Amino acid sequence: MLHLRLITPADRTDDVVRLIEKTVGTTHLVVLPGVARNPAGDVVLCDVAREAGDELLAGLRKLDLDRTGSIAVENIDLSLSRRADKAEAEAPGEGADAVLWEHLTEATHEESTLSVTYVAFLTLATMIAACGVVLDNAILIVGAMAVGPEFGPLAGICTAIVQRAPRLALRSLVALLAGFAAAMAVTAGFSLFMDAVGLFSKAQLEADRPNTGFIYAPDWFSFVVAVLAGAAGMLSLTSAKSGALVGVAISVTTVPAAANAAVALIYSDTTQAGRSTQQLLLNLLGIVLAGTLTLTAQKVFWRGQRRRRRRREQQGHGA
């Protein structure tokens, strides 16, 4: 269930209440006239089944409530109420399958913004991966994958394509490209320092690396894994099962490939640098392709669900 807290202008409250009352899957409606001060107006509270949330939010935005008032949405972790159980049973589909497009757009907007924290995490992840590459240490590679925040901008690109949001697409692309460029540049400097103190060497990079050699060996399996990870990542975002994102992060070799390319460049190993870059681009392409197709499929599925529900309602009114 979701909890909505709305601030509505007094002349829009009746329209908002009617919309909530006719939306299947809503309950616990509370209206507090005149209590809001900034902005001034009424406060309307209600709970809605997750699978009905997107339709209700879209209706509220059509009433311009996001401009003239306020819409706040919270997840309800526990609701002991027969009315809530009934609302969830009446709502079409399953809550775990529901996509809140407004929430997804907002979340990917935040995660895909180029910030100091984002660049710092990506840089640290790439530096950890550089250590894993030189030491041929799979544990460090997995750790670097888990730290890397690059799935945020990738999800932003997928969402922007499906929602036709060019600003989100540009913001995500800038964060992705600038983030990786900065991370690789800093990692190259870090590698030079490590070489100067005798901790990195060209011999280690070019030695037999049974645990990390896959990083600069792009093949169809790399693309297949990236596609599967991209689909899983988008499902974890849309279903609010964020724990699955950790598994997605350690499934693809984006950060390790960038690290391997950076280390290879300081030793003028153009072969490894080139093949690592291919691995990086292949993984990015696979994730974006799969994420976009997953969101598109979910959008088509929920449109079908709504059409079927409307037909049933029309048939019920006709009878």
Side-chain angles (χ1 to χ4, degrees):
M1 294 288 288
L2 302 172
H3 178 68
L4 271 63
R5 185 185 73 250
L6 314 173
I7 298 178
T8 71
D11 60 343
R12 293 289 179 91
T13 301
D14 289 342
D15 293 333
V16 169
V17 170
R18 276 194 294 269
L19 173 64
I20 293 172
E21 289 178 335
K22 76 175 186 180
T23 300
V24 176
T26 59
T27 187
H28 302 154
L29 176 61
V30 178
V31 180
L32 304 173
V35 300
R37 294 292 179 266
N38 184 21
D42 305 330
V43 172
V44 178
L45 309 173
C46 74
D47 295 340
V48 59
R50 181 180 172 83
E51 52 269 40
D54 188 62
E55 184 177 0
L56 179 56
L57 289 173
L60 292 171
R61 293 199 68 176
K62 284 182 181 178
L63 293 173
D64 287 331
L65 198 61
D66 55 323
R67 297 180 182 179
T68 59
S70 169
I71 303 173
V73 183
E74 300 173 341
N75 280 307
I76 299 176
D77 295 327
L78 177 64
S79 179
L80 303 177
S81 165
R82 288 186 178 180
R83 289 182 178 272
D85 295 340
K86 183 182 178 184
E88 288 187 318
E90 290 175 347
E94 294 293 332
D97 299 330
V99 182
L100 293 175
W101 292 101
E102 298 294 340
H103 177 268
L104 179 63
T105 302
E106 184 67 24
T108 51
H109 177 279
E110 182 180 346
E111 293 295 326
S112 62
T113 300
L114 185 64
S115 63
V116 173
T117 301
Y118 166 78
V119 174
F121 269 116
L122 188 57
T123 301
L124 290 170
T126 309
M127 292 165 68
I128 293 170
C131 295
V133 162
V134 173
L135 297 175
D136 193 33
N137 188 317
I139 295 176
L140 291 177
I141 296 298
V142 171
M145 290 175 172
V147 172
E150 75 279 7
F151 190 79
L154 291 170
I157 292 172
C158 299
T159 303
I161 293 172
V162 176
Q163 294 290 83
R164 298 179 182 178
R167 289 185 179 180
L168 177 59
L170 180 60
R171 180 182 294 105
S172 302
L173 191 61
V174 168
L176 190 68
L177 297 180
F180 268 112
M184 291 175 71
V186 174
T187 300
F190 170 73
S191 301
L192 286 171
F193 169 77
M194 295 294 277
D195 179 78
V197 298
L199 295 177
F200 280 13
S201 70
K202 186 174 184 179
Q204 287 175 297
L205 179 72
E206 296 182 345
D208 235 4
R209 286 160 47 195
N211 295 319
T212 60
F214 68 93
I215 292 172
Y216 59 94
D219 55 22
W220 280 108
F221 276 108
S222 302
F223 184 73
V224 169
V225 171
V227 167
L228 296 175
M234 292 312 304
L235 284 174
S236 71
L237 284 180
T238 57
S239 65
K241 295 185 181 297
S242 57
L245 278 177
V246 177
V248 171
I250 60 177
S251 298
V252 288
T253 54
T254 48
V255 166
N260 201 88
V263 177
L265 281 173
I266 71 159
Y267 290 122
S268 302
D269 189 334
T270 54
T271 300
Q272 277 203 44
R275 295 178 71 182
S276 299
T277 303
Q278 290 176 23
Q279 179 79 279
L280 174 62
L281 296 176
L282 195 64
N283 278 272
L284 295 178
L285 175 63
I287 292 173
V288 170
L289 177 63
T292 302
L293 291 176
T294 300
L295 285 180
T296 302
Q298 289 179 296
K299 196 168 189 176
V300 171
F301 172 77
W302 277 100
R303 279 180 179 173
Q305 289 275 72
R306 287 178 182 174
R307 290 195 192 101
R308 286 191 289 272
R309 181 172 62 81
R310 285 169 185 162
R311 286 197 203 103
R312 286 196 297 268
E313 289 175 353
Q314 290 171 358
Q315 290 170 358
H317 291 316

